[in-house]
Every structure is written in structure tokens, then in C-alpha cells.
Amino acid sequence: SSGINAEWPLRPGTHGDHTLTATKIESYIRDTHPELLATVTYGSCYYDVDEFVREEEESKRNDDLITFLLQAQYQELSKEARRDINEIVVRNSDVVDGKYFARHMCAGIIVSLPSKE
């Protein structure tokens, strides 16, 4: 198989592929479609982690987002690791209107044709 997915296939059991960076995608576009313009923009995304942060009983905690961001099953980690991750999420969150929102870097890729001026 060829193409970007062949170069960076998803590993079984993961929810995404964090090794597939904006820089790699941009490079692939430039190498395979030199007629296109590709520009990467970076910024912060915010995820609602209020339920994750506040839920005292771990069995009721919604950890799907944390599992995705970690690329590891949160519930399968040791109790100490889960406690540390919870503290990190709190430290890397902003409280807006009383709710926790975790900051996470994200990228957007703009692909366009050059202008014909």
C-alpha cells in the first residue's frame, strides 16, 4: 500500500496516531502535490474535562478523552499514575464559568491552489 497511511499506519489498539504530525502531513502534501500550497496554523484547543476532574468515584469518571490524549487506556494504569494524570489535567486546565477546560495544542492545515495573478 502507498500513501501517507502506509508510511504511518495506526497501531492496533490506539484511538488515533499522534505520530502523524501536521509537519509530516504538510511535507507529504508538498512532496506528492507540488502544485498545491499547504500552510499549517497552530493554536490551542480546549476540551471539557470538568466531569473527569470532579468525579470522585473513578468507576463513574468519563475518561475517554484522557485515554485518547494519552494513547493508553486510562483505567488500566496504576492508581498512582491515574492520580498524577488527574493532577496534570487540573494544572493544565482553565476554569471558565466554574468548569474545567484542558488546553491542548492543535494544528490546522490549509491546502489551496496558487492564485493565477
Side-chain angles (χ1 to χ4, degrees):
S1 159
S2 63
I4 199 162
N5 289 333
E7 293 180 45
W8 301 291
L10 288 175
R11 294 175 302 283
T14 61
H15 298 275
D17 186 350
H18 286 205
T19 66
L20 187 55
T21 65
T23 303
K24 288 179 181 177
I25 295 170
E26 178 189 26
S27 177
Y28 176 81
I29 292 169
R30 289 179 194 270
D31 291 347
T32 59
H33 298 281
E35 73 282 8
L36 298 176
L37 299 173
T39 306
V40 179
T41 61
Y42 295 93
S44 292
C45 298
Y46 290 87
Y47 298 109
D48 181 344
V49 292
D50 196 66
E51 181 182 324
F52 175 81
V53 168
R54 295 184 190 274
E55 183 56 59
E56 296 291 325
E57 190 174 329
E58 281 203 17
S59 64
K60 294 182 180 178
R61 182 173 285 157
N62 181 356
D63 57 39
D64 290 341
L65 174 63
I66 305 305
T67 290
F68 171 76
L69 295 173
L70 288 173
Q71 295 290 281
Q73 294 295 326
Y74 175 82
Q75 288 298 330
E76 293 178 13
L77 300 173
S78 70
K79 185 173 184 146
E80 295 79 18
R82 291 193 310 268
R83 181 196 65 233
D84 291 346
I85 289 166
N86 189 278
E87 290 172 6
I88 290 167
V89 169
V90 170
R91 278 196 316 268
N92 289 301
S93 294
D94 293 329
V95 179
V96 179
D97 294 330
K99 290 181 73 173
Y100 283 88
F101 291 89
R103 291 179 306 279
H104 184 69
M105 286 301 297
C106 58
I109 302 171
I110 301 165
V111 180
S112 60
L113 291 169
S115 64
K116 296 187 179 205
E117 293 180 31

